[in-house]
Amino acid sequence: MQVSIRDLTKIFKERRRETVAVDHFSLEVKSGQLVTLLGSSGCGKTTILRMIAGFESPSSGSIFISGKEMNGLPPNKRPVAMVFQSYALFPHMSVFENVAFGLRVRNVPRKELRERVEKILQKVGLNGKEKRGPNQLSGGEQQRVALARALVVNPEVLLCDEPFSNIDQSLRIKMREEIKRLQKELGLTILFVTHDQEEAFYLSDKIVLIDSGKIIQEGTPKEFYENPKTEFVKDFLGGLKKVNGELVRVVALA
Amino acid sequence: MFLFFLFVFFSLFVLFPLGHLFWGFEKPVLDAQIWIPFFNSLKLGAMVSFFATFFGFILALSTTQKKLIGRKFFASMATLPLISPPFVLAIAMILLFGRQGILTQKLFGGHTLFHIYGFWGLTFVEVLAYTPTAYLILKGILEAIPPSLKEASLNLGGGHRYTFLKIVLPLSKQGLLTAFLVVFMESLADFGNPLILSGNFEVLAVKAYMEMTSFYNVNAATFMALMLLFPSLIAFFSQRIFLKKSVVVVSGKAQASSFDWLGKKPRRFLTIFCSLFSCIIILMYGMILIGSLTKVWGLKFELALENFSQVWQLSHKTLFDSIFLAFLSGPVTGLLGMGIAYMVVRKKFLGKRFLEAVTLFAFAIPGTVLGLSYALAFNKPVLGLPILQGSAAIILLLFVVRNIPVGLQAGVAVLNQVDKNIEEAAQNLGAKGWGLFRRVTLPLMAPAFFTGWAYSFVKAITAISAVIFVVSGNWSLVTVDILGLVENGELSYAAALSLILIAIVVLVLLGIKFLVGLVSTRGLGGALRGV
Ligand SMILES: Nc1ncnc2c1ncn2[C@@H]1O[C@H](COP(=O)(O)OP(=O)(O)O)[C@@H](O)[C@H]1O
Ligand SMILES: [Mg+2]
């Protein structure tokens, strides 16, 4: 197992008010799989990712990555890379420097560093824009830089927190396809957070539906269609309908 | 209409008096001696800004760490000097290390440990007095760096030190420069501390005052004032230019984060530093408290409450004058500031840039320079107005002119947040001009107005450098009284009066906070922080 999460719980205590953000959550992710955490806003998805990345410490339970226990390991020692919802690009660095950041930390020799950065920029379609600053890029391009910056360090797991929620619909669909392609091409293990059912169904090898920090149902997209366990699941998937048949041809309208 | 009023106001009360500096000054003083205070002032300013910025940065780093124990307390300590006149620290310094100082007497057997009257004593006191300024600027800057940037750096493998050097420090660069330049300006303009502590180390602000009041040498005084004005202006405009180039961009929405990017060890260092700093602040203000309760400092270290009744007898009138004028300056400053902000942000008109520039310009003029120019300009009737020198009006005017830039900034900050749509909706319903401003915009700006009021009050009641030129027998101020007591060696009285002043400031701040319903746990300096 690439990622294995056992009985993870997170309780936030704030001025005597307790919020149970994650409630006895367990999950197994195989190498090369893309698993989505799906759920409405506030159900604890971000908190799970942040515990895996080491930004929050679990109240109880444990996280293993490639068999290694993560508890107590600081964020900078963990073999994961995160794509932030807000991109979190370094505003004072060029595209190239943003992507090179993780390699510079690792003291990668100059020549190799240049090659790796250019290769990954090529992959996400940003070659030729190395010298620009983040604020000279469109939203979609910024998101690609964030993705490249995370991928270039060859993480064992890629964590994505609603990476496409800040870009418009048409671009979102394009980015969705792109990440699926990259995952196949590079054999990435991805834990992907979203509140968009469509996105989850398009991308996932496995979907984990969460409500109030608890797992409601998990399985492949197909299993979700064929066997929604509860009314809640049906409601949540309400917008989606399965159409039987075969796509023969697409006719352009307009 | 309002615009015309502003134009007249600024011409009459900023440009016109400043013009007198140039008229009053006949020939350059070619004496080589004249350059000594100039270079002393610059040297002192540079030294003070360096340390104040450095300390302010460490304090700001500390209080923005959510897991640092006692951060709220440290934040209060870091801003405490703001609620007293800066020169109160000089008094504490004498109480501690002066010839009659408690440490000198008790610990070192009557030998002065080091000479506090001069460059180093002055540097020490001014660093303490102006660290809060740097702290507030840098805290704002550090808070504006999205937590996700630091998390991204750690996530990519950067350690705490790497994250600090590559992310936090570069993104604070502008803030550090700004803090440095603003403190530099404050140190140049400082009057109270050097008057008490400078000894043989002459600085411009005090020298100009002496030339004017002791030797009636208008030529020399104006020359010094001009020498003081130019470095301040240079510092001010370079700071404006740096600020414009700010790079922090926040895209998307920030995740609430309780994660501290700094590790345990750096945090421990920060805690130790903050504790030391707080100890020094407590020691200094503690000295004022003890001093105020002691009969004759240095000779009879015995408890005496009569200091308070004595200074009350001596100074209650000036105390009331101070409170009255400072309190009155608040709403005037607030309204003018809001009004100008409204014009600058929402309106288009000829001379808009000019208006903004002149307003902020008032901020760049050292108090001593402005005070001197007022003394020169208004000792005779102007445009049919009665002679202003010696009246309450001239003091009030100085308070207002000096604090408008702050009112303006508070106003601009709020206006940029107030939704323009709300105003447009009101406009569609038929509100216009003054009515729109009064009924719709002003209520929305009320919090900034009251913050501006609180700020002006504190600034005004602790001010000394400008007003010392225009006080008179009829209208004087408590800060002037305190300085007088220090000059006469009445340290216990000076301490007692300072303490009363501090108590009033605290009471009024709490009162205003309560009124606005802003009662929060933001610490004593909290009311000032919103600006
Ligand atoms: N730092 C925090 N302190 C207190 N409560 C938090 C914190 N972070 C998240 N929460 C709470 O935990 C719950 C889950 O939040 P989150 O994981 O961000 O949800 P999601 O990402 O699914 O929208 C929410 O109720 C949120 O208010
Ligand atoms: Mg979230």
Side-chain angles (χ1 to χ4, degrees), chain A:
Chain A
M1 280 302 147
Q2 192 75 349
V3 182
S4 121
I5 298 173
R6 301 195 192 139
D7 227 11
L8 196 65
T9 297
K10 177 72 188 179
I11 301 168
F12 287 110
K13 293 196 181 82
E14 259 185 325
R15 297 206 190 105
R16 280 184 228 108
R17 244 193 53 226
E18 292 195 348
T19 316
V20 182
V22 179
D23 196 356
H24 298 283
F25 180 91
S26 298
L27 176 70
E28 307 271 297
V29 181
K30 291 200 193 94
S31 182
Q33 246 186 350
L34 192 156
V35 175
T36 37
L37 306 181
L38 176 64
S40 49
S41 175
C43 73
K45 308 176 298 282
T46 298
T47 308
I48 295 171
L49 282 203
R50 289 173 62 81
M51 281 192 282
I52 299 173
F55 300 136
E56 306 281 0
S57 48
S59 304
S60 68
S62 44
I63 297 162
F64 294 85
I65 295 175
S66 312
K68 265 216 316 268
E69 156 106 64
M70 289 292 116
N71 255 1
L73 215 57
N76 51 325
K77 299 274 160 61
R78 300 192 180 200
V80 300
M82 187 139 165
V83 179
F84 290 80
Q85 185 170 7
S86 55
Y87 316 140
L89 297 182
F90 306 130
H92 56 302
M93 295 181 187
S94 65
V95 168
F96 184 92
E97 283 307 317
N98 263 284
V99 177
F101 190 88
L103 299 177
R104 291 213 192 280
V105 173
R106 288 165 177 75
N107 289 319
V108 172
R110 278 233 320 244
K111 196 154 158 280
E112 189 194 334
L113 179 138
R114 178 156 284 282
E115 281 167 12
R116 280 171 72 177
V117 172
E118 307 223 301
K119 195 169 143 223
I120 202 81
L121 283 176
Q122 188 102 36
K123 277 251 180 304
V124 298
L126 275 176
N127 37 337
K129 303 206 164 138
E130 292 90 343
K131 292 222 177 69
R132 298 226 192 145
N135 48 4
Q136 294 169 300
L137 299 176
S138 69
E141 287 170 331
Q142 291 184 4
Q143 193 52 270
R144 277 168 227 238
V145 178
L147 194 60
R149 185 179 68 177
L151 287 178
V152 78
V153 297
N154 297 328
E156 291 182 24
V157 184
L158 185 68
L159 307 172
C160 300
D161 189 0
E162 312 207 16
F164 307 144
S165 63
N166 286 329
I167 50 188
D168 58 54
Q169 181 70 24
S170 57
L171 197 61
R172 203 181 304 167
I173 290 168
K174 212 168 133 212
M175 288 299 292
R176 205 188 272 174
E177 285 161 8
E178 208 157 315
I179 201 154
K180 191 76 194 161
R181 174 179 64 81
L182 280 169
Q183 188 228 345
K184 294 246 169 74
E185 229 173 275
L186 304 171
L188 303 169
T189 311
I190 303 179
L191 205 51
F192 193 99
V193 160
T194 181
H195 63 260
D196 179 346
Q197 321 80 312
E198 234 180 275
E199 198 162 278
F201 274 77
Y202 178 84
L203 285 173
S204 313
D205 297 314
K206 176 156 94 174
I207 297 174
V208 180
L209 184 65
I210 306 174
D211 185 42
S212 315
K214 283 199 265 290
I215 297 182
I216 303 295
Q217 181 171 354
E218 64 176 292
T220 60
K222 199 158 169 257
E223 284 164 359
F224 264 81
Y225 278 127
E226 285 166 1
N227 184 19
K229 268 192 193 156
T230 62
E231 280 304 306
F232 177 84
V233 180
K234 265 190 215 150
D235 275 357
F236 201 87
L237 306 179
L240 298 169
K241 289 221 179 61
K242 195 182 175 189
V243 184
N244 280 317
E246 210 176 315
L247 186 68
V248 181
R249 127 185 107 111
V250 180
V251 184
L253 301 170

